[in-house]
């Protein structure tokens, strides 16, 4: 019994250390003049398969991504960590999101578990003009809020790791002054209470209701508060990730 308990404690310590290292990989959202950026990731277990990242470049751009590895547990966490590390190495050499997404797809196909893939939204935002070049690789549609209207940025490519040699091409949209971009994982719309899901419509209503808050942290709390109110006592069954980017100005 003593040996068994010592082994259990050692495993618990190693798992806690691994979870701490994984959380430390998620850099805080950068402060950018003329913009607000807010991000959060809430895993449903010790380890998460979701990821997000935001980095500013020396030429005045914001490179960001949100991703979701299929499955849960240690396998998903390891692929998430590898995917995030590979992305950061490629930011400097792949300025175009299409080129970046293509390389990430190759890496997942060549070195990932054949039974897993990654959905993701990769964006490169010109902070001076608000022009956004993006690839949505089989990920839930990001939402661009402008003047009370929501525009979905739908998928324009397959998930990473599904089709070897797939060439991604970036789409372009402009975030206007006062515009708000929300990128999230399916842990929000697919959150389930009994047989009922939160779904996209509730997410859109929550975002519209919270968007007028001057601080993006309040917008985040408003959206996730609606999710928690919907779930009640029901436990979360998936990781929840939300990235918000808002351009200053506008009414």
């Amino acid at each position: 019994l003593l040996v068994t308990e010592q082994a259990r404690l050692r495993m618990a310590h190693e798992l806690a250390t691994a979870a701490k290292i994984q959380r430390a990989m998620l850099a805080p959202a950068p402060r950018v003049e003329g913009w607000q950026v807010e991000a959060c990731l809430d895993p449903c277990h010790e380890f998460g398969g979701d990821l997000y990242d935001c980095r500013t470049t020396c030429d005045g751009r914001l490179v960001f991504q949100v991703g979701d590895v299929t499955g849960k547990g240690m396998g998903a966490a390891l692929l998430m960590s590898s995917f995030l590390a590979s992305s950061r190495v490629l930011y400097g050499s792949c300025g175009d999101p299409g080129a970046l997404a293509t390389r990430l797809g190759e890496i997942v196909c060549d070195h990932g578990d054949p039974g897993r893939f990654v959905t993701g939204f990769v964006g490169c935002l010109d902070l001076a003009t608000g022009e956004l070049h993006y690839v949505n690789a089989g990920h839930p549609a990001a939402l661009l809020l402008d003047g009370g209207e929501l525009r979905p940025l739908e998928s324009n490519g397959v998930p990473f790791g599904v089709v070897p040699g797939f060439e991604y091409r970036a789409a372009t949209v402009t975030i206007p002054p006062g515009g708000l971009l929300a990128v999230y994982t399916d842990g929000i719309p697919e959150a389930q209470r009994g047989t009922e899901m939160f779904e996209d419509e509730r997410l859109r209503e929550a975002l519209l209701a919270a968007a007028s808050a001057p601080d993006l942290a309040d917008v985040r709390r408003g959206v996730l508060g609606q999710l928690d109110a919907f779930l009640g006592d029901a436990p979360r069954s998936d990781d929840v990730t939300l990235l918000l980017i808002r351009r200053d100005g506008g009414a």
Side-chain angles (χ1 to χ4, degrees):
L1 288 174
L2 177 61
V3 171
T4 301
E5 179 63 11
Q6 288 174 337
R8 186 191 68 80
L9 291 175
R10 184 172 61 253
M11 179 62 72
H13 175 72
E14 291 176 355
L15 291 175
T17 301
K20 183 179 180 180
I21 292 172
Q22 188 190 35
R23 287 193 295 270
M25 292 184 68
L26 300 171
R31 294 187 176 182
V32 183
E33 184 177 357
W35 296 80
Q36 294 183 57
V37 183
E38 176 77 14
C40 68
L41 191 162
D42 186 9
C44 67
H45 300 301
E46 291 86 353
F47 300 101
D50 280 9
L51 63 99
Y52 71 81
D53 200 27
C54 299
R55 296 296 172 101
T56 54
T57 64
C58 58
D59 58 352
R61 297 179 301 154
L62 177 71
V63 180
F64 65 91
Q65 64 171 321
V66 171
D68 184 2
V69 179
T70 56
K72 297 178 178 65
M74 182 66 78
L78 287 172
L79 181 53
M80 169 270 185
S81 301
S82 173
F83 188 89
L84 185 55
S86 298
S87 300
R88 289 172 175 171
V89 171
L90 293 170
Y91 286 159
S93 59
C94 299
D96 172 60
L100 174 60
T102 299
R103 285 291 293 119
L104 289 172
E106 292 171 355
I107 290 171
V108 176
C109 283
D110 292 343
H111 305 292
D113 183 345
R116 296 184 188 273
F117 57 87
V118 184
T119 69
F121 188 100
V122 179
C124 183
L125 174 64
D126 187 321
L127 297 171
T129 66
E131 186 175 68
L132 170 66
H133 300 275
Y134 70 91
V135 167
N136 184 332
H139 200 71
L143 298 173
L144 177 59
L145 176 61
D146 175 21
E149 298 293 328
L150 282 172
R151 174 182 174 181
L153 305 184
E154 303 282 0
S155 173
N156 56 1
V158 300
F160 301 116
V162 172
V163 180
F166 187 87
E167 185 174 350
Y168 294 87
R169 297 187 181 278
T172 304
V173 70
T174 297
I175 302 178
L180 171 65
L181 177 69
V183 190
Y184 55 93
T185 55
D186 60 10
I188 297 180
E190 294 182 5
Q192 195 163 351
R193 178 184 63 191
T195 59
E196 185 180 11
M197 287 187 176
F198 191 67
E199 296 186 342
D200 293 328
E201 188 59 33
R202 285 191 178 92
L203 171 58
R204 296 183 181 205
E205 291 174 356
L207 184 62
L208 286 169
S212 60
D215 192 329
L216 273 190
D218 292 330
V219 178
R220 169 181 56 81
R221 283 189 285 265
V223 172
L224 298 185
Q226 289 295 317
L227 176 64
D228 290 336
F230 167 80
L231 286 173
D233 295 331
R236 291 184 181 178
S237 58
D238 200 358
D239 305 331
V240 168
T241 300
L242 177 62
L243 171 66
L244 301 170
I245 300 174
R246 180 161 63 188
R247 188 177 183 182
D248 293 345

